[in-house]
Amino acid sequence: FDMFILAFVERLFRPTYKKDDIVLGKKLGEGSFGSVYRVSLAKKPSSKGGGDLVLKRATEYGAVEIWMNERVRRACANSCADFLYGFLENSSKKGAEYWLLWRFEGEATLADLMQSREFPYNVEALILGEVQDLPKGLDRENRIIQTIMGQLLFALDGLHSTGIVHRDIKPQNIIFSEGSRTFKIIDLGAAADLRVGINYIPKEFLLDPRYAAPEQYIMSTQTPSAPSAPVAAALSPVLWQLNLPDRFDIYSVGLIFLQMAFPGLRNDNSLIQFNRQLKRCDYDLVSWRQTVEPRAGPELRKGFELLDLDGGIGWELLTSMVRFKARRRISAKTALAHPYFDREGLQALSFIQ
Ligand code: ADP
Ligand code: MG
């Protein structure tokens, strides 16, 4: 109950925004459920802070996305982009739209950064704020990828501990926050809050087939519809244990790990081809490796070499994330304690010492 009062008071005293405050800038994205713009404020009253913002004009699922962002703001603020305010805008020509505002976190998503030939050194430069004058090599690349994986799992653990499954984890939905020099999760439009039953019914058409785990449904078919909120709140810890819906995101983050290790799998076509190969191997990474490694080119070999460092601890972590059965996949929290992260810890800067 105290939490409820606190949340209410916090909401009451936070700055609010309306359509006339907002000056549209460059369009950043256009999805089937809305558009995203970089925006600035018409006037810059100090209470609302300066700096650029991001606006999403959403039709469907806008209400869900506002709910998720409010919850993240209170429960695990560092996991996601800094959410400011959301409201229903009735005056637009297209009919009612939800307007959502975030702080502009930075120019680049992980997808942008992974497309560069410099990856992962371009990320090292962002995290450190400077370019290091050190020889490039597999070990250094591995440390950067370790740091990125640590940040992604930390953010995901925050969401999962809050009871939220993202369901659309992919490099395009991970933004590099220039302020905190860390990666943050964005785009909660497909997320499910299992503790209160918001967006409980899985919408398969929201799932991105490139990164989706093989199970089509987040919850098993035995729980096909949303119970009422109080019933869901009482049941959901049980359902969570039974169905482990968080492991859907773990599979997706495992595919990101794979793409970071294997430069040849970073573009869409090769990822789609990989998904086909893995399916043919019954989603068993070990047998995938057995089929591709004997005739692997230099890029694939480099990936295996990187994952085989330190006694193959990276490969071990990868194979514990990308598995057919959700219940056999590692959780975000357990993954953070995996020996893969031992040597360097999770301090972003630890690898320069
Ligand atoms: P969509 O539903 O179109 O996928 P997203 O929430 O993923 O909407 O946002 C689209 C794009 O806008 C992102 O890929 C990213 O480039 C940019 N973006 C979104 N939120 C932010 C933010 N807080 N700061 C900077 N860029 C952002
Ligand atoms: Mg997106």
Side-chain angles (χ1 to χ4, degrees):
F1 188 69
D2 284 351
M3 278 303 289
F4 176 78
I5 298 281
L6 274 176
F8 180 74
V9 169
E10 196 259 0
R11 189 84 168 82
L12 205 63
F13 286 96
R14 250 164 62 198
T16 60
Y17 301 81
K18 55 187 188 310
K19 190 182 181 186
D20 297 338
D21 293 336
I22 298 162
V23 182
L24 289 194
K26 188 183 163 217
K27 192 178 250 188
L28 299 174
E30 172 86 80
S32 33
F33 305 112
S35 342
V36 179
Y37 303 84
R38 189 165 175 169
V39 301
S40 53
L41 295 175
K43 288 180 293 217
K44 285 180 180 153
S46 56
S47 70
K48 294 184 187 179
D52 277 6
L53 309 181
V54 168
L55 168 73
K56 183 182 273 191
R57 297 169 58 165
T59 47
E60 280 160 274
Y61 312 112
V64 173
E65 200 170 349
I66 293 175
W67 162 275
M68 296 296 167
N69 276 280
E70 287 289 345
R71 207 154 141 54
V72 163
R73 218 189 118 86
R74 294 194 297 272
C76 53
N78 296 328
S79 289
C80 296
D82 194 3
F83 182 67
L84 298 173
Y85 192 65
F87 57 97
L88 184 62
E89 176 54 52
N90 276 314
S91 69
S92 90
K93 289 185 211 93
K94 292 180 194 160
E97 284 180 340
Y98 290 96
W99 284 34
L100 292 85
L101 284 167
W102 294 266
R103 206 170 298 290
F104 180 81
E105 296 279 359
E107 301 279 349
T109 64
L110 182 57
D112 302 325
L113 294 163
M114 274 171 45
Q115 286 316 307
S116 162
R117 289 176 143 275
E118 278 299 297
F119 185 87
Y121 298 106
N122 56 347
V123 173
E124 182 189 54
L126 284 176
I127 290 174
L128 297 175
E130 61 181 15
V131 191
Q132 288 193 98
D133 192 17
L134 284 174
K136 293 183 175 176
L138 215 54
D139 202 49
R140 184 164 158 209
E141 284 184 31
N142 186 40
R143 289 174 193 208
I144 304 166
I145 292 172
Q146 249 175 6
T147 304
I148 301 170
M149 280 304 290
Q151 293 183 356
L152 298 186
L153 287 165
F154 177 82
L156 210 50
D157 179 39
L159 280 185
H160 292 167
S161 304
T162 304
I164 296 175
V165 189
H166 187 282
R167 303 200 290 192
D168 199 14
I169 293 292
K170 55 184 174 185
Q172 293 79 359
N173 285 338
I174 291 160
I175 189 91
F176 186 78
S177 168
E178 289 165 9
S180 64
R181 291 204 179 133
T182 57
F183 285 99
K184 293 180 175 183
I185 294 167
I186 57 172
D187 201 353
L188 297 166
D193 187 332
L194 294 155
R195 307 227 160 148
V196 277
I198 299 282
N199 205 353
Y200 187 88
I201 306 171
K203 297 188 183 64
E204 312 92 272
F205 55 88
L206 285 176
L207 308 180
D208 188 319
R210 290 169 302 175
Y211 292 90
E215 67 269 22
Q216 294 296 304
Y217 305 94
I218 310 297
M219 305 301 286
S220 84
T221 47
Q222 285 125 42
T223 53
S225 61
S228 69
V231 174
L235 272 178
S236 58
V238 179
L239 291 177
W240 191 283
Q241 281 307 313
L242 277 176
N243 296 289
L244 302 170
D246 58 313
R247 305 303 202 274
F248 189 85
D249 291 342
I250 292 296
Y251 187 94
S252 308
V253 100
L255 290 190
I256 298 176
F257 188 15
L258 184 94
Q259 287 189 296
M260 291 199 288
F262 295 94
L265 297 182
R266 284 180 202 155
N267 71 68
D268 272 355
N269 286 338
S270 56
L271 180 61
I272 290 164
Q273 198 197 338
F274 165 83
N275 284 334
R276 261 190 246 119
Q277 290 172 347
L278 189 64
K279 192 175 178 183
R280 258 184 260 126
C281 298
D282 294 322
Y283 296 93
D284 180 7
L285 263 185
V286 174
S287 64
W288 173 77
R289 181 170 184 165
Q290 281 163 359
T291 56
V292 298
E293 202 169 21
R295 47 194 173 81
E299 288 208 315
L300 268 185
R301 257 191 310 204
K302 190 183 161 189
F304 288 124
E305 222 181 297
L306 186 139
L307 293 164
D308 284 345
L309 290 172
D310 303 314
I313 209 72
W315 174 253
E316 208 288 322
L317 177 62
L318 177 68
T319 52
S320 61
M321 301 176 103
V322 181
R323 276 184 179 152
F324 181 75
K325 279 204 185 310
R327 64 180 55 257
R328 294 198 52 229
R329 290 176 213 143
I330 196 167
S331 71
K333 204 182 288 304
T334 307
L336 282 169
H338 191 276
Y340 177 65
F341 296 109
D342 267 6
R343 199 170 48 134
E344 316 303 333
L346 287 171
Q347 295 293 306
L349 303 180
S350 64
F351 62 78
I352 49 171
Q353 276 125 40

